[in-house]
Amino acid sequence: MTAETERIAPAEERRLDADNKDGSTTDSLQEDVIVKPAADAPEKDESNMFGEGNQTFRTLSRWDTILVLVTNQVGLGILTLPSILHTLGMVPGLIAIIGLGIVTWYTAFELLQFYRRHPHVLNLVDMAKVVGGRPLEIIVGIGLLFKICMTCSSATVTLSIAFNSISSHAMCTVAFSAFGAIGCWLLCIPRTFKFVAHVGVPSTISILAALLIVVISLGVAGHPDGAPLDWNKELVVVGRPDFSSGLSACLKVCYAYAGNVAFVSYMAEMKNPSRDFVPALTILQVCSILLYIFTAVSIYCLSGQYVRSPALGSAPAIPAKIAYGIALPAIFATGMVFGHAAIKYMYVVVLRALKSTHQATQNSVKSWSVWVGCTTVFWLVCFVFANAIPIFDSILSIASATFIAWFTFGISGVFWYHRNWDEKFQRKNIPLAIVNALLILQALFMNGAGLWAAIQGLLNIFASENGVKGSFTCADNSVF
């Protein structure tokens, strides 16, 4: 047992006792925690620094968690799903949407199992430190920042597409990207996820309303943007894409379920994660799968071969402008919720380096200076990435192939093997051992073949006659 584990053991025992009083179940591997708290131990939960000090960040109830999870997941990814049905075909596409939704529920549940065993962790990087010490902590920390940075960059790209669509490309795309990044920077200034929960309802309503406008306009007009007046609709039931196109389509489905990277950060600010996270996660995944199916099928069946990604661009010009305007809160919320998770990690790292973790929840000059500084650096980098890869589909595919592969699938498999290493070949564990080995192999495959397919697609757009010719371009990126 390390010094750090000895320090937090009493807190673990208090956490487990509190969970058991609530009637919740805990992982059987927690039974080795036998250290009892002193009789006069304080009642407050000190299992991580966000529960210490005069102000606690542990404020998320079950309902708050549901709102944060929905804001985290239902966003940019849904806008690319109708187009993947055209690439893969309706049957394989729906199988991919449902199947990957179930897989990501399981991988998120594995994160909770690990968190129950080590409730002092604040994020996935802390979990990696438990598994592989300082070297793995550094590797995963860098990967975490790049992954979330890519996601927030895709939000910035989507904002530039929205501004271009609404204004008919009235300004340079780089300037529109800057406006989007500045807006997200302002939204990330508040320091707790409780603030994120407050925007969950309006964010979800805005994206649903925007999609509904697209569906209604396509149903009434019967004429998607870019289609000739005498067009004949073509629907693909079972597609025959080439390897690159098919893999890129699957990467976009993975992106729609890429919320796992921030789930541990939410657990660290929940009042009772052992009791509340699984119900919140289940509600999220069921609603997400149903919403994804409805959106993908309805928009694709109405648009046919003229479906676009983002899907809002499939509508006729005027409804598309209205839809993008209504969807702006959801797009900003996506940047905020993921950006907040990355900034919170940077904040913790800097405070630990300054030996000032006791100020994490204080309203001191130092704590606020560190927070604002981390926020500024993060969104500057996102702005650069957004202009380096200004195409919506490409930045989603590249993000999925590089980091989402591990943070959504592979790393949960690693954590399972760490928890069950001594019992991995027991009869009851063999099925899960196989499943988690496949998750790790899936991440490796997406890293290699997936990244090649994503970059090839981007280069093809850059090389096309009417394409965006490169990075940091003023060209209109709303037509791709």
Side-chain angles (χ1 to χ4, degrees):
M1 181 176 288
T2 66
E4 183 178 16
T5 306
E6 291 174 350
R7 178 178 64 80
I8 57 89
E12 290 184 4
E13 186 63 27
R14 286 196 297 276
R15 178 68 160 275
L16 296 177
D17 288 346
D19 291 345
N20 292 331
K21 288 177 183 177
D22 291 326
S24 61
T25 58
T26 56
D27 192 91
S28 60
L29 293 175
Q30 293 175 331
E31 295 175 357
D32 61 342
V33 181
I34 59 174
V35 181
K36 299 292 183 182
D40 58 347
E43 293 183 359
K44 71 174 183 177
D45 187 349
E46 296 179 336
S47 56
N48 69 59
M49 70 172 70
F50 293 156
E52 299 175 352
N54 297 327
Q55 178 186 356
T56 179
F57 282 6
R58 302 187 68 92
T59 56
L60 296 181
S61 65
R62 181 180 297 182
W63 176 244
D64 292 329
T65 304
I66 292 171
L67 294 178
V68 172
L69 292 179
V70 170
T71 308
N72 177 83
Q73 183 156 293
V74 180
L76 304 184
I78 195 173
L79 300 180
T80 193
L81 295 180
S83 67
I84 71 107
L85 295 187
H86 183 63
T87 302
L88 298 177
M90 292 187 65
V91 174
L94 291 177
I95 292 174
I97 291 172
I98 296 170
L100 286 170
I102 295 172
V103 171
T104 51
W105 183 95
Y106 169 73
T107 56
F109 178 73
E110 278 301 327
L111 296 179
L112 176 65
Q113 296 293 76
F114 196 95
Y115 182 84
R116 286 170 168 170
R117 183 77 181 273
H118 306 280
H120 68 288
V121 300
L122 300 177
N123 45 55
L124 277 173
V125 182
D126 286 350
M127 287 186 171
K129 183 178 181 180
V130 173
V131 173
R134 181 66 173 168
L136 189 59
E137 177 189 19
I138 294 173
I139 293 171
V140 174
I142 294 172
L144 175 77
L145 289 178
F146 273 102
K147 186 273 170 196
I148 300 181
C149 190
M150 292 289 287
T151 301
C152 291
S153 299
S154 66
T156 307
V157 169
T158 309
L159 287 168
S160 69
I161 292 172
F163 293 145
N164 272 322
S165 299
I166 294 169
S167 67
S168 299
H169 189 47
M171 190 179 294
C172 176
T173 296
V174 175
F176 280 142
S177 297
F179 292 151
I182 292 171
C184 291
W185 175 84
L186 290 171
L187 290 171
C188 286
I189 293 299
R191 291 191 294 171
T192 69
F193 282 119
K194 184 76 171 181
F195 173 77
V196 178
H198 292 325
V199 303
V201 171
S203 167
T204 303
I205 291 175
S206 75
I207 192 68
L208 294 179
L211 291 168
L212 191 60
I213 287 173
V214 173
V215 172
I216 293 174
S217 66
L218 288 171
V220 172
H223 192 273
D225 187 51
L229 294 176
D230 56 345
W231 73 296
N232 293 317
K233 186 184 300 180
E234 298 176 6
L235 298 179
V236 180
V237 178
V238 178
R240 295 183 178 179
D242 57 37
F243 179 79
S244 176
S245 300
L247 186 52
S248 293
C250 291
L251 290 174
K252 294 166 193 172
V253 181
C254 293
Y255 188 95
Y257 293 107
N260 291 28
V261 66
F263 286 176
V264 181
S265 299
Y266 304 153
M267 294 176 200
E269 295 193 29
M270 291 177 66
K271 294 177 181 178
N272 195 327
S274 288
R275 181 191 66 196
D276 294 336
F277 184 76
V278 172
L281 174 68
T282 302
I283 292 172
L284 168 74
Q285 292 300 90
V286 171
C287 292
S288 295
I289 291 173
L290 294 176
L291 179 61
Y292 289 174
I293 290 173
F294 169 77
T295 301
V297 172
S298 59
I299 294 180
Y300 176 57
C301 287
L302 291 169
S303 301
Q305 68 272 31
Y306 291 97
V307 67
R308 284 193 180 177
S309 181
L312 303 183
S314 302
I318 299 302
K321 292 177 185 288
I322 297 173
Y324 271 118
I326 292 176
L328 285 177
I331 303 172
F332 274 112
T334 299
M336 177 187 64
V337 70
F338 279 100
H340 202 285
I343 295 161
K344 186 64 67 67
Y345 166 66
M346 296 167 65
Y347 177 67
V348 170
V349 169
V350 174
L351 287 181
R352 285 172 175 169
L354 297 175
K355 302 187 185 302
S356 299
T357 55
H358 61 284
Q359 296 189 33
T361 61
Q362 295 178 7
N363 288 317
S364 65
V365 173
K366 176 183 285 188
S367 63
W368 273 108
S369 297
V370 171
W371 181 265
V372 173
C374 291
T375 305
T376 303
V377 170
F378 177 79
W379 280 105
L380 280 174
V381 175
C382 290
F383 170 74
V384 173
F385 276 18
N387 285 281
I389 312 173
I391 308 300
F392 179 77
D393 276 359
S394 296
I395 195 167
L396 263 61
S397 296
I398 291 173
S400 296
T402 49
F403 303 108
I404 288 174
W406 279 106
F407 286 110
T408 303
F409 305 107
I411 201 166
S412 292
V414 173
F415 290 157
W416 184 90
Y417 273 100
H418 181 267
R419 288 194 310 111
N420 297 278
W421 186 254
D422 294 333
E423 299 87 18
K424 61 182 178 297
F425 292 129
Q426 290 184 4
R427 179 173 297 180
K428 65 177 182 179
N429 283 337
I430 288 178
L432 286 179
I434 295 173
V435 167
N436 284 279
L438 291 175
L439 289 174
I440 295 172
L441 291 175
Q442 176 188 357
L444 291 170
F445 176 77
M446 290 172 67
N447 279 164
L451 187 59
W452 170 81
I455 293 176
Q456 187 63 44
L458 177 63
L459 293 177
N460 290 340
I461 293 176
F462 281 168
S464 65
E465 290 185 4
N466 298 319
V468 174
K469 296 302 182 182
S471 302
F472 286 89
T473 177
C474 281
D476 186 359
N477 63 347
S478 65
V479 297
F480 297 98

